[in-house]
Amino acid sequence: MAPDQLLEQKQAEKQEVKGYFETTGFDRWNRIYSESDDVNKVQRNIRIGHQKTVDEVLAWIKDSGELNEVSFCDAGCGVGSLSLPLAEMGAGSISASDISEAMAQEADRRARAAGLDMGKLNFFASDLESLSGSFHTVCCLDVFIHYPQQPAEEMVKHLCSLTEERLIVSFAPYTLLLALLKGIGQLFPGPSKTTRAYTLKEEGIVKSAEACGFKLVRRSLNKAPFYFSRLIEFRKA
């Protein structure tokens, strides 16, 4: 595919994801990432799996002792699943963004309802490509599902450019089984399948971070039915 065609495809997919999470996607995922009982079995298991990933990230950060006075960037924050508990734990400052303004506004609403210090929290709408600044720790959880392999590797490099010390990312890992299940699922499209879902090869993600001077320090695989997420922490070498 020619470079111009690739760019057009990326822009089209970005608008598709943004439009989805501003409308039906917001309603669906806001329920999933809440305590609502208005979810089906698949959505409930996704909730459980995502929470496992968030809990592990929080445990890693707590164990490192790097929390107070530390600046965090929560890239693709959704409704604040990571940012809110980070703030409750005493993070120095948190810059949290989501491509969906509705998601960012809901995260802000939840933070205020919880009585968190909004002087340390900033929620705003932005795509990952537009993020700038410098942060001790950058986290990007379960967002790469919207990125094919090459754009995901480019995004890792962009996130590394924002990171002073630690980058934590999660993504759906490529396996033959998941590729088979995905192929079967695409034969039976349903109303909930409104955006593409990509699995990624870990080797490419790791090499992209290494090319920016980061090294893999720990990794894990979190899974629940209908949820698989490879979690990796990189540190500046």
Side-chain angles (χ1 to χ4, degrees):
M1 187 178 293
D4 288 346
Q5 291 176 308
L6 282 173
L7 180 60
E8 289 179 2
Q9 179 182 339
K10 287 172 64 176
Q11 291 297 329
E13 290 193 0
K14 183 189 299 184
Q15 289 304 312
E16 179 183 8
V17 171
K18 185 177 187 297
Y20 170 66
F21 282 105
E22 291 285 2
T23 53
T24 57
F26 170 73
D27 293 333
R28 179 174 294 118
W29 290 95
N30 190 29
R31 290 197 308 273
I32 291 173
Y33 296 148
S34 72
E35 297 180 358
S36 171
D37 292 327
D38 185 21
V39 289
N40 59 37
K41 183 177 180 180
V42 172
Q43 293 168 339
R44 188 178 301 278
N45 279 299
I46 291 173
R47 174 191 292 173
I48 293 170
H50 178 73
Q51 190 59 50
K52 284 183 179 180
T53 296
V54 170
D55 288 345
E56 186 151 22
V57 171
L58 294 172
W60 286 0
I61 291 172
K62 185 177 181 180
D63 289 346
S64 73
E66 296 169 308
L67 183 64
N68 297 330
E69 307 305 322
V70 167
S71 59
F72 289 87
C73 171
D74 185 3
C77 66
V79 295
S81 301
L82 176 65
S83 290
L84 270 63
L86 265 180
E88 291 171 346
M89 288 167 55
S93 65
I94 304 169
S95 178
S97 64
D98 197 272
I99 193 172
S100 163
E101 185 172 356
M103 286 285 192
Q105 288 177 346
E106 173 61 15
D108 185 274
R109 185 198 68 78
R110 292 188 183 193
R112 293 179 187 277
L116 297 177
D117 183 356
M118 299 308 294
K120 295 185 176 182
L121 270 167
N122 178 33
F123 293 101
F124 60 99
S126 174
D127 58 31
L128 298 187
E129 289 81 358
S130 301
L131 292 180
S132 61
S134 182
F135 308 91
H136 177 281
T137 297
V138 175
C139 300
C140 187
L141 304 184
D142 294 352
V143 178
F144 284 172
I145 195 79
H146 304 297
Y147 286 79
Q149 186 72 38
Q150 184 177 347
E153 293 176 10
E154 293 172 359
M155 183 50 60
V156 168
K157 293 179 180 179
H158 174 57
L159 295 177
C160 284
S161 74
L162 310 178
T163 308
E164 298 169 1
E165 293 293 337
R166 174 175 54 199
L167 172 65
I168 301 176
V169 300
S170 71
F171 54 91
Y174 176 87
T175 66
L176 290 177
L177 175 59
L178 287 181
L180 176 60
L181 292 175
K182 180 181 176 183
I184 294 173
Q186 289 175 340
L187 297 176
F188 303 96
S192 64
K193 296 178 182 177
T194 52
T195 60
R196 296 172 179 85
Y198 295 99
T199 57
L200 302 177
K201 295 181 179 179
E202 182 176 340
E203 180 182 11
I205 300 300
V206 172
K207 284 185 175 180
S208 294
E210 290 176 342
C212 298
F214 285 75
K215 63 180 180 179
L216 189 158
V217 294
R218 52 184 161 182
R219 59 200 281 273
S220 68
L221 180 65
N222 290 315
K223 56 185 178 179
F226 310 105
Y227 178 93
F228 295 85
S229 185
R230 170 65 71 191
L231 180 63
I232 301 179
E233 177 180 345
F234 296 102
R235 288 275 184 166
K236 183 164 285 188

